[in-house]
Amino acid sequence: MTSTAPQRMTPSEALVETLAANGVTEVFGIVGSAYMDALDIFPAAGIRFIPVAHEQGAAHMADGYARASGRHGVCIAQNGPGITNFVTAIAAAYWAHSPVVFITPETGSATMGLGGFQETEQLPIFSKITKYQGHVGNPKRMAEIAARCFDRAMLEMGPCQLNIPRDYFYGDLQATISAPMRIGRGPGDAAALDEAAALIEAAKFPVILAGGGVITSGAIAEVARLAETLHAPVCNSYLHNDSFPASHPLWVGPLGYQGSKAAMKLISQADVVLALGTRLGPFGTLPQYGMEYWPANAKIIQVDADAKVLGLVKPISIGIHGDARATATALLERLKGRELACIANKAGRKAKIEAEKAAWESELDGWTHERDPFSLEVAKDSKYMHPRQMLRELEKAMPRHAMVSTDIGNICSVSNSYLRFEQPRSMFAAMSFGNCGYAFPVACGAKFAAPDRPAIAYVGDGAWGISFNELLTCVREKLGVTVVVFNNGQWGAEKKNHVDFYSRRFQAVDLESPSWAGVAKAFGCEGVTVDRLSDVGPALQAAVKAQGEGRTTVLEMMVTRELGDPFRRDALSKPVRYLDKYKAYT
Ligand SMILES: Cc1ncc(C[n+]2csc(CCOP(=O)(O)OP(=O)(O)O)c2C)c(N)n1
Ligand SMILES: [Mg+2]
C-alpha cells in the first residue's frame, strides 16, 4: 500500500481510514458518546466493533488478539471511567510485548481542567505502561498521529495510546492516509556476529534459549536449523513454551517457575548459551526445585530486538541488537563449513539430553500429588482430584493446535510443566505483570483472531471471580472458548505463603463460591463439573468440539487444596514483631 494523496475528510474519517490502512478488522470496547461519530462509520470501513462486558476485558482481548495473530489488537472506550478501566490490561499487554493500540477519547478540549463530566488527565495514567503516547492536540493531525501509534506499536512491540479530545473527532481537514511503516531490524552488528560465531564454534556444550522474540520474528525454523547444526538442546524461556516445538528431539522444555528439570539440568552444564529473543527476565532464571541452574560461568550471547534489555538482568559476554530470525540466519551463515568443537562430543550430549528428558517425564508421571505436610494433610480425606494428575490428563487430551492462556495462581503455575506446543502463538500466559483475571479475556481475543483454533483458558477459582463477566461477550457474540476453572476453594498461591511463612494463620484465602458450572449455565454457556480423572479428557474434548458451534464451556475441575511450590520464596521472610500485642504473630 502507498500513502494516499491529501483528501478532504473529517477527523473521524481520518481515524477510521487509518485503522483500515493498518488492516484492522476488529475493535473491542464498550460503546460511548465520546467516539460515536467514528464508530458510526466502522461498518463501512469493514471494521467490526465487538462489545464486551468490561473495558478491562476489551484491552485484554486486544492483547490476546495481537498475540495470536501478530497483528495489532485495538480497543476503544468512553473518556474517563471507560479509559481508566483499561489500565490493568494495558500494563499486562506492556509486559507481554503486545502491539496493542488503545484509543482513548478524552474530555472536550474546551472544558478540560474545569472538572466536568468524566474528566481526568489520561496521558499521565498510562505514561509508564506504553511505548508511545500520541495526543491529538490539533484535529488536523489525526491521521498522522494515529498512524504513528500503529507504526510504533510494531516497532517497539508494545501498547501505544491514541488520546483524542472528544471534540476533535469533528472538523474539516485535508488528510493523507499513510501506508503502514514496518522497519526491519536486521541481524545486528557484524563484528558482534563474528565474535558470537567464534564463541559458538569453540563451545563444547552450547545450549539455545528460545524466547518470545523467536515467536514474534517467526524464527522457529532457523532455531531448529541452528540446534541441529550444533546438536544443542533448546530451552523455552519462562512462559514461552511455544517458542520451540515440543516434539523436536532437541526440545528440553521451559526454564523458570515450575519449568522442566531437564532444561534446567542441561543449561546448568552449558559453556555457551545462545539466548535468542529474550530479555532474560528476573523471574525466568530464578532457582527452582532448590536448584541454582543458571550457568554463572558460561559465556552468554544475548540477542534481542530491544537494545535496552541487553545485559540488563544477567551479565552477558556478547549483546546483539537484532531480530531473532535474522540473527539466527546470519549465525548459520557464519558457522557454515566451520569445524565445530561440539561435534566431537555430539553423541555424549545426545545421550545426556535423552536421559534428562526421560528422567523428567518419569518424575512427572510419578509426581501425582504434592508431598509437603500441608498438602498431604488437606488431600488425605478429599474425594477430589490431585491438581497434577488433572493437569496431566488435560495435557494428554489437548488438541494439537490449541491456544492456551494461563492465569496467575498456584495451579496455573504448576501447569507450566504440562503445557507443550507444536506451533508458535499458542501460549498466552499472564506475563510479568501477573494479574489475576488475565487468561479468560485473552483467550477470547485469541479466538476472535484465530477462530479455527481451539482456545482454552486455565483459571483458578479466585481469578475466575475477577473475570467471568466476559461470559456475556461469549454468549452475545457466539464465541466458543473453553474455560478450565481449577476449583480448589481458595486463593491458593497466597495461602501457600500463609503456610510457609505465617504459621498457617489463614486470612481471607478460603473461597466460598457458587457452582461455577451452574453460573455458566445461567449465562447460557455449557457448564460441567468434573471430579473424576477419567472424565477430564473427554470433558475437554467435548468442550473443544462445542467451540466449533460457537458455544463456550466452563469445565469446573474439583481439585484438592494441596499446593505446589510458591512463586516468591525469594521475596518473603519470616515475620519479626517487636510490640507485645503482636508477639504471638511470628
Ligand atoms: C489482580 C490481582 N490481585 C491479586 C493478586 C495476588 N494473587 C496472586 S496469586 C493469587 C491467588 C490466585 O488464586 P486462584 O485464582 O484461586 O488460583 P490458585 O492459586 O488457587 O490455583 C492472588 C490473590 C494478583 N496477582 N492479581
Ligand atoms: Mg484457587
Side-chain angles (χ1 to χ4, degrees), residues 461-462 486 488 490-492:
D461 51 352
F486 305 132
N488 60 1
Q490 58 193 2
W491 293 101

Side-chain angles (χ1 to χ4, degrees), residues 77-393:
Q78 178 72 348
N79 56 286
I83 302 310
T84 53
N85 275 352
F86 277 163
V87 173
T88 298
I90 294 302
Y94 182 83
W95 287 108
H97 311 289
S98 206
V100 168
V101 175
F102 62 110
I103 305 171
T104 62
E106 194 173 64
T107 203
S109 65
T111 56
M112 186 69 177
L114 301 182
F117 190 53
Q118 298 177 326
E119 177 182 320
T120 187
E121 280 188 46
Q122 295 178 175
L123 292 169
I125 294 172
F126 294 97
S127 64
K128 298 294 182 189
I129 47 177
T130 39
K131 294 292 186 182
Y132 172 69
Q133 294 180 290
H135 176 69
V136 180
N138 181 324
K140 295 205 180 332
R141 298 185 66 187
M142 177 73 90
E144 173 207 339
I145 291 168
R148 188 159 303 121
C149 286
F150 280 90
D151 292 343
R152 292 275 175 95
M154 285 297 172
L155 182 68
E156 299 204 31
M157 291 309 288
C160 292
Q161 178 178 10
L162 177 57
N163 198 55
I164 310 169
R166 51 183 294 169
D167 47 321
Y168 290 176
F169 283 89
Y170 308 97
D172 188 330
L173 42 113
Q174 289 286 318
T176 292
I177 305 301
S178 301
M181 191 165 66
R182 299 290 172 265
I183 309 291
R185 291 186 187 89
D189 178 56
L193 285 163
D194 289 343
E195 270 184 68
L199 268 188
I200 295 170
E201 181 181 356
K204 297 203 168 62
F205 205 114
V207 173
I208 297 175
L209 175 52
V214 168
I215 298 165
T216 44
S217 70
I220 301 236
E222 288 73 13
V223 173
R225 273 172 52 214
L226 258 179
E228 287 154 15
T229 304
L230 305 170
H231 303 278
V234 181
C235 308
N236 307 113
S237 74
Y238 181 47
L239 299 180
H240 286 299
N241 300 15
D242 53 345
S243 66
F244 200 68
S247 62
H248 194 288
L250 292 167
W251 170 85
V252 294
L255 295 182
Y257 184 35
Q258 297 291 357
S260 149
K261 281 192 188 173
M264 295 174 202
K265 286 187 178 158
L266 287 161
I267 203 170
S268 72
Q269 300 169 57
D271 58 350
V272 173
V273 174
L274 175 59
L276 273 169
T278 167
R279 67 189 178 95
L280 299 175
F283 295 115
T285 50
L286 277 180
Q288 297 300 328
Y289 310 113
M291 210 193 313
E292 189 79 73
Y293 58 85
W294 186 254
N297 299 320
K299 302 264 190 261
I300 311 290
I301 304 163
Q302 187 187 8
V303 180
D304 204 277
D306 178 357
K308 296 190 292 296
V309 304
L310 296 172
L312 178 66
V313 181
K314 291 277 174 206
I316 57 173
S317 302
I318 302 174
I320 300 179
H321 182 202
D323 168 83
R325 181 166 174 214
T327 305
T329 308
L331 287 174
L332 277 164
E333 275 301 309
R334 278 172 171 71
L335 293 174
K336 225 181 247 168
R338 293 207 198 179
E339 217 170 282
L340 303 171
C342 61
I343 295 302
N345 62 10
K346 153 183 147 182
R349 287 183 302 119
K350 182 167 181 276
K352 268 189 188 167
I353 293 168
E354 284 166 5
E356 290 299 357
K357 281 174 73 168
W360 176 231
E361 286 314 313
S362 77
E363 181 170 352
L364 278 180
D365 283 335
W367 199 345
T368 51
H369 59 87
E370 305 298 347
R371 298 176 190 123
D372 58 287
F374 172 81
S375 293
L376 291 174
E377 230 170 88
V378 292
K380 191 166 47 122
D381 299 319
S382 173
K383 57 184 193 306
Y384 294 140
M385 300 179 282
H386 293 299
R388 282 186 178 271
Q389 284 186 311
M390 180 264 316
L391 291 167
R392 196 64 154 171
E393 291 304 312

Side-chain angles (χ1 to χ4, degrees), residues 408-411 434-436 460-463 466 488 490-494 511:
I408 293 294
N410 192 273
I411 300 177
N435 61 302
C436 287
D461 51 352
I466 295 180
N488 60 1
Q490 58 193 2
W491 293 101
E494 298 299 353
L511 288 168

